[in-house]
Amino acid sequence: MFANITRQLLSRRAPATSCKRLLARQYVGPIANHEAIDALTSKLTVEEQVQNIVNPSTYDQIERTKQIAQSARLQNMDLGVQLSEETRFSREEVSEKLSKLYNDLKSTRVLTTEDRSAVLAGFSELRDGNNCARVIREMRTLGHTVTAAQFATALRAAAASKMGSAVYAIGEEMQAAGIADAEGNYAVYFEQLVQCLSHQGQAEHAYSVFLEMRSRGFIPSRNTCDALAGALGSIGEPEIALEIILEARDRGISLSSASMVKVLHSAALQLSPEPFKHCWKQLTGVMSFDVPEGDCDAGMNIAARTGDVDLAQDIVEVMKRRGFPITESQFEALFETLVRDSRWTVALNVLNIMREHSYGKESMTLRSMKHIISSHGSKKALEIVDTIFDNMLKGQKNMPYAVDSVTLDALVSAVAMTGIAAQAAERLREWYPKLKIKRTPSSYAVVLDGCILSKDKVLAESLMADLLDVDKLKPTQQIYERMILVSTSQFNYEDAFLYLQAMKAQGMVPSWKIYSTLVRRCAKVRDPRARVALKEMAEMGHTVTEALHRYVETGGRAARYSLQQKYQEDNSEEPEPPKKEKDAARSTGFDINFTL
């Protein structure tokens, strides 16, 4: 029978512990089974007992699976769920068993260095960093030798379980043992500490340890750089993460796509062009990573803000390859990118494609172009708009959707926003007939904005006459309101009320801004029509603030004067000291209260 059992065990290739267990089960019998097992296992070495717990035999695993299946059947639960729960908690249970065995062994016998090393190896295999630190501390206290390899294994186990305190404790023991300064050993401690802190979300502390590591001359490994770069990207530090990525690249190390994606997302949120561009090229070019559509949107936004045409074109190519549709926001971002790079012909072509797909027909699409052009100053702005107009004149047949009144209004508005309304009016009168485009009330409104800035009422009235007599257009509310604002900027502002009456005669309701401007203008010169306008303002449903009421009451003086007057009125009941008492006090040189 023993020969059959031996052949059976050899065919299973079971460990020695399993052989003893199976011999006990089949030779002693079912009644004295547990006693026989205890008798045989008591003769095992510490290393064998540790391995029996850490790496259980196939028979024990089968028995445990049977118990789980029976429990699942009794509880009417899915077997797969039970097995997944068992896998989740099995490592903690095994670690508790090993810890109990270690405590029992310490209480019953004197453990040698080999015995404690076996226990330390078991905890390292289970990735129990706290128990690894405990065993190492006890070994050093009792005078046992802990090798550099054991320190390194324990550090990796603690870092893998994300136990930062355990990594730090083991590193301190390394330094106290005197092997921390040996070549390579202390670098392992730094690397594992950086990785552990990075995985725990403590990127700031991890970066501090990383800087200390570099100052000591240790070269970080790929895993360390990868973990730290990803952690820095997660907390919104793409610039620092890029430094680590570039340093690793110079040493021929390429980080993982997961860390690159974290830095990419962080750069998109922080609007950092350099980290985003580098990670984008690495992911799409080197790693052939399939970026999602949301990252393409973020990249177009960054390209628009920085004027990076190469990045925008690369993103468009990736979107075409992935089959993503180009949305209106992406078209607008691409258009803004080309405008910032002063590539006017390409920008007009993109605008033409947008409008061909029913995108960007409103003036809001060209708002960024107006602000970019006007920010260059009046002289440079005139050169830019003239260049764009020449491109529109030459390519009108090829770009029919881009050459319209909305685009011309944006160019004229860019000139008017610089404060040179006369130049804007000149282009309003010349450009539209050349392109055979009809002027609209909005075309005149953008030039009137320039008249408000320059307070040029003569030019504004001339434009109003052209609108009525030349183009035969009906003034809109925008036109009337701008004429009122121009009139209130003059010494004689009577025309403002004429335009106000004409506006109300057309059934239009003046805005809060118009009434507020009229009230303040009248109050400055103590015009009684200020109160009439204030009353009409309330009747129209506009909010009349207390500050506006006080402004009228104080005759247009600033708020500080009204507050001072109110303070004086509130404190007017207190009598002022008699002048004689003051003079008496001044003549004697003593305080009145002191004298009394």
Side-chain angles (χ1 to χ4, degrees), residues 525-546:
V525 295
R526 298 183 181 275
D527 189 339
R529 288 179 293 184
R531 299 182 182 277
V532 178
L534 199 66
K535 181 180 179 182
E536 186 175 331
M537 181 180 180
E539 292 175 353
M540 289 292 182
H542 297 303
T543 302
V544 181
T545 62
E546 183 181 354

Side-chain angles (χ1 to χ4, degrees), residues 318-336:
V318 171
M319 295 181 67
K320 289 181 180 179
R321 186 169 63 249
R322 295 291 310 278
F324 295 145
I326 302 179
T327 61
E328 183 176 4
S329 60
Q330 293 168 345
F331 268 123
E332 291 179 352
L334 179 60
F335 176 74
E336 184 178 348

Side-chain angles (χ1 to χ4, degrees), residues 248-547:
R249 184 197 63 181
D250 295 338
R251 293 192 287 114
I253 297 175
S254 177
L255 303 187
S256 65
S257 60
S259 298
M260 288 288 183
V261 169
K262 290 180 181 179
V263 179
L264 183 79
H265 293 167
S266 177
L269 292 175
Q270 300 295 328
L271 298 177
S272 300
E274 293 301 325
F276 186 92
K277 189 173 182 180
H278 179 81
C279 294
W280 177 270
K281 288 184 177 180
Q282 291 292 318
L283 288 171
T284 59
V286 179
M287 300 180 180
S288 300
F289 183 80
D290 292 335
V291 294
E293 189 175 0
D295 293 341
C296 296
D297 294 338
M300 292 297 292
N301 188 20
I302 291 179
R305 289 178 175 270
T306 59
D308 195 337
V309 180
D310 295 334
L311 177 61
Q313 291 178 346
D314 192 14
I315 294 174
V316 171
E317 291 296 329
V318 171
M319 295 181 67
K320 289 181 180 179
R321 186 169 63 249
R322 295 291 310 278
F324 295 145
I326 302 179
T327 61
E328 183 176 4
S329 60
Q330 293 168 345
F331 268 123
E332 291 179 352
L334 179 60
F335 176 74
E336 184 178 348
T337 304
L338 297 169
V339 169
R340 290 186 183 275
D341 198 44
S342 300
R343 301 177 63 171
W344 308 114
T345 304
V346 184
L348 290 174
N349 286 326
V350 171
L351 183 63
N352 184 70
I353 296 173
M354 287 176 61
R355 292 177 174 174
E356 189 176 359
H357 291 80
S358 300
Y359 294 149
K361 293 184 177 181
E362 299 81 9
S363 59
M364 292 295 294
T365 304
L366 304 175
R367 184 177 59 178
S368 61
M369 183 181 72
K370 292 190 297 182
H371 290 288
I372 292 171
I373 295 174
S374 61
S375 64
H376 291 287
S378 57
K379 185 177 180 180
K380 183 65 176 178
L382 288 174
E383 296 177 0
I384 293 175
V385 296
D386 289 340
T387 302
I388 298 175
F389 176 75
D390 292 339
N391 292 331
M392 294 174 64
L393 192 61
K394 294 176 183 177
Q396 185 176 10
K397 295 182 179 179
N398 299 326
M399 300 179 294
Y401 296 98
V403 181
D404 60 356
S405 61
V406 178
T407 307
L408 286 178
D409 291 349
L411 296 179
V412 174
S413 177
V415 177
M417 288 169 64
T418 60
I420 46 176
Q423 296 290 339
E426 180 181 348
R427 283 155 179 77
L428 175 68
R429 295 182 174 116
E430 292 180 359
W431 283 358
Y432 290 80
K434 287 184 179 180
L435 293 174
K436 298 180 180 179
I437 295 176
K438 294 182 178 180
R439 289 183 287 263
T440 63
S442 298
S443 306
Y444 284 94
V446 296
V447 185
L448 289 175
D449 288 332
C451 295
I452 296 173
L453 293 176
S454 60
K455 300 180 180 180
D456 193 343
K457 184 185 176 186
V458 176
L459 180 59
E461 291 177 344
S462 175
L463 292 171
M464 188 69 172
D466 291 344
L467 182 142
L468 296 171
D469 301 333
V470 178
D471 291 325
K472 307 296 182 182
L473 297 174
K474 183 179 180 181
T476 61
Q477 183 167 349
Q478 292 179 333
I479 300 297
Y480 281 124
E481 289 186 349
R482 282 161 175 78
M483 292 302 297
I484 292 173
L485 294 175
V486 173
S487 300
T488 53
S489 65
Q490 308 299 310
F491 178 79
N492 184 1
Y493 56 91
E494 293 297 327
D495 291 343
F497 291 96
L498 297 178
Y499 289 117
L500 180 66
Q501 295 300 325
M503 186 178 179
K504 291 190 293 184
Q506 298 291 332
M508 304 173 186
V509 178
S511 64
W512 183 91
K513 181 180 179 181
I514 295 300
Y515 276 114
S516 175
T517 304
L518 287 170
V519 169
R520 291 178 180 274
R521 183 67 182 89
C522 294
K524 280 184 179 180
V525 295
R526 298 183 181 275
D527 189 339
R529 288 179 293 184
R531 299 182 182 277
V532 178
L534 199 66
K535 181 180 179 182
E536 186 175 331
M537 181 180 180
E539 292 175 353
M540 289 292 182
H542 297 303
T543 302
V544 181
T545 62
E546 183 181 354

Side-chain angles (χ1 to χ4, degrees), residues 234-256:
S234 300
I235 65 170
E237 293 291 346
E239 300 290 344
I240 303 177
L242 180 62
E243 295 179 3
I244 298 174
I245 293 173
L246 294 178
E247 180 183 344
R249 184 197 63 181
D250 295 338
R251 293 192 287 114
I253 297 175
S254 177
L255 303 187
S256 65

